[in-house]
Amino acid sequence: GKTRFSRWYVNFSESERQRLQLDIHRLVIARDSRFTNFIEFLNYKIVYKRFAGLYFLVCIDYNDNELSHLELIQLLVEILDQYFGNVCELDLIYNFHKVFGVIDEVIIGGEVVETSKAVILNTLRKNEAQE
């Protein structure tokens, strides 16, 4: 029931972020698995997917395409899995800076800029070799 990492592209205060995370957590956890992975929330939509015990979710504008963002979540999880080699929750916790690096290769300023797994993984490995 804890947020392991989050990336915000809209300016909210820390207290607003915590309140929003708690409200979203309550909504997602309470949903039956038979329901869709989309929830209307305030003036936004929440798109989420569960992998093992982890929920990955994005909050999108009301008019954005839900299925494309569901695919984005799938892409991020596949990249994390290949990057870490069978990713687990501990990888996300102890290597959060690498997780943010993955997200930053795919999304900049809230916009998707790269969707090729090969390009993203190649860039991440080059960056890691330079460190």
Side-chain angles (χ1 to χ4, degrees):
K2 293 185 179 190
T3 301
R4 298 301 182 193
F5 62 90
S6 64
R7 176 69 83 195
W8 295 79
Y9 299 103
V10 176
N11 196 15
F12 288 105
S13 70
E14 188 61 34
S15 62
E16 288 174 313
R17 288 180 183 190
Q18 290 176 355
R19 183 184 52 78
L20 289 170
Q21 285 179 359
L22 184 61
D23 291 347
I24 292 168
H25 173 76
R26 287 183 186 143
L27 280 173
V28 171
I29 294 299
R31 287 179 60 92
D32 192 296
S33 62
R34 295 176 292 152
F35 296 150
T36 66
N37 293 10
F38 316 123
I39 303 172
E40 292 183 11
F41 178 74
L42 302 176
N43 294 328
Y44 302 99
K45 291 182 191 173
I46 304 298
V47 179
Y48 69 94
K49 187 160 180 157
R50 182 178 181 182
F51 293 91
L54 297 174
Y55 287 89
F56 291 81
L57 60 89
V58 293
C59 181
I60 61 174
D61 288 333
Y62 193 79
N63 294 322
D64 283 352
N65 184 323
E66 301 94 345
L67 293 177
S68 67
H69 286 85
L70 198 58
E71 284 295 317
L72 174 66
I73 293 170
Q74 181 69 36
L75 173 70
L76 286 169
V77 170
E78 288 177 12
I79 292 169
L80 289 170
D81 196 50
Q82 287 182 11
Y83 187 56
F84 288 107
N86 201 14
V87 69
C88 68
E89 185 175 4
L90 292 177
D91 291 324
L92 303 179
I93 293 169
Y94 293 115
N95 298 299
F96 64 91
H97 57 288
K98 292 182 180 182
V99 174
F100 286 127
V102 170
I103 294 169
D104 291 344
E105 285 299 318
V106 178
I107 303 169
I108 295 178
E111 299 294 327
V112 176
V113 293
E114 182 61 67
T115 58
S116 169
K117 278 190 281 188
V119 169
I120 294 164
L121 287 168
N122 189 33
T123 303
L124 291 168
R125 291 188 176 116
K126 281 182 184 177
N127 291 342
E128 197 170 83
Q130 291 176 353
E131 292 177 355

